[in-house]
Amino acid sequence: MKTKNNRYGTVPPCGAIGSVVFTPDIVEETVRYYFEHVPQLWGYYGFKDAFNLDRDWVSRIYIGIDKGIELLMIENYKTGLLWDITMRNKYIKDGLQKLSFHQTNKKQKKSAPLYMGATSLMFSLFHFPGRGRGYWGVNGSV
């Protein structure tokens, strides 16, 4: 059964979570939806690979590359570490300049609610009582 616009409706949570640096408010809302309305999507290592509500299906597996993008982009959202390291590379800087990107000295200031929103939600979900112990915690504990 296909959904509107000829799509099959399978959704990988890593897509939304990996977008936290671009749309943190939307990601927070999305993660809450997953957690509250698709509880079987949550497991020992966090969110499973994918789900499809049209087919009443949730993956039973976790995929490492999906966990990787989640972790990397949450860290990037919190600290900017990955973008800072990437932008130190002269080849990347040269390529972006050739594509007409311009460097700015403005740093987007994260407000407390925004910072505490998606990031804290994700970290709190990984140690939510009764949903299985996650693989990292707020203070990096295992």
Side-chain angles (χ1 to χ4, degrees):
M1 179 168 115
K2 293 183 182 181
T3 57
K4 186 178 175 183
N5 297 323
N6 204 27
R7 305 282 185 232
Y8 283 98
T10 300
V11 177
C14 69
I17 296 166
S19 300
V20 69
V21 294
F22 307 111
T23 57
D25 294 332
I26 293 170
V27 171
E28 178 180 356
E29 183 180 334
T30 303
V31 168
R32 274 189 203 285
Y33 178 87
Y34 295 159
F35 194 69
E36 293 171 359
H37 298 282
V38 192
Q40 64 275 29
L41 185 60
W42 185 259
Y44 187 80
Y45 297 108
F47 290 114
K48 295 174 185 160
D49 177 54
F51 69 99
N52 186 318
L53 295 178
D54 291 343
R55 296 174 180 226
D56 195 30
W57 172 83
V58 174
S59 176
R60 295 178 295 160
I61 64 172
Y62 306 89
I63 296 182
I65 198 167
D66 293 352
K67 295 290 134 206
I69 197 65
E70 292 171 11
L71 289 169
L72 290 171
M73 294 311 277
I74 289 170
E75 177 62 28
N76 205 30
Y77 173 71
K78 287 178 61 181
T79 67
L81 176 66
L82 299 169
W83 282 342
D84 290 344
I85 291 170
T86 301
M87 292 312 298
R88 290 183 205 151
N89 184 297
K90 77 176 201 100
Y91 300 107
I92 290 175
K93 284 183 184 178
D94 291 347
L96 289 171
Q97 287 174 350
K98 287 177 183 176
L99 292 169
S100 300
F101 284 85
H102 303 283
Q103 184 174 1
T104 66
N105 292 326
K106 296 179 183 177
K107 286 210 171 192
Q108 184 179 1
K109 197 172 189 178
K110 292 184 175 105
S111 64
L114 191 63
Y115 178 81
M116 297 306 291
T119 311
S120 290
L121 175 64
M122 285 303 300
F123 283 116
S124 66
L125 291 180
F126 279 92
H127 278 279
F128 193 84
R131 292 285 179 107
R133 185 170 177 270
Y135 58 98
W136 95 88
V138 175
N139 60 4
S141 62
V142 176

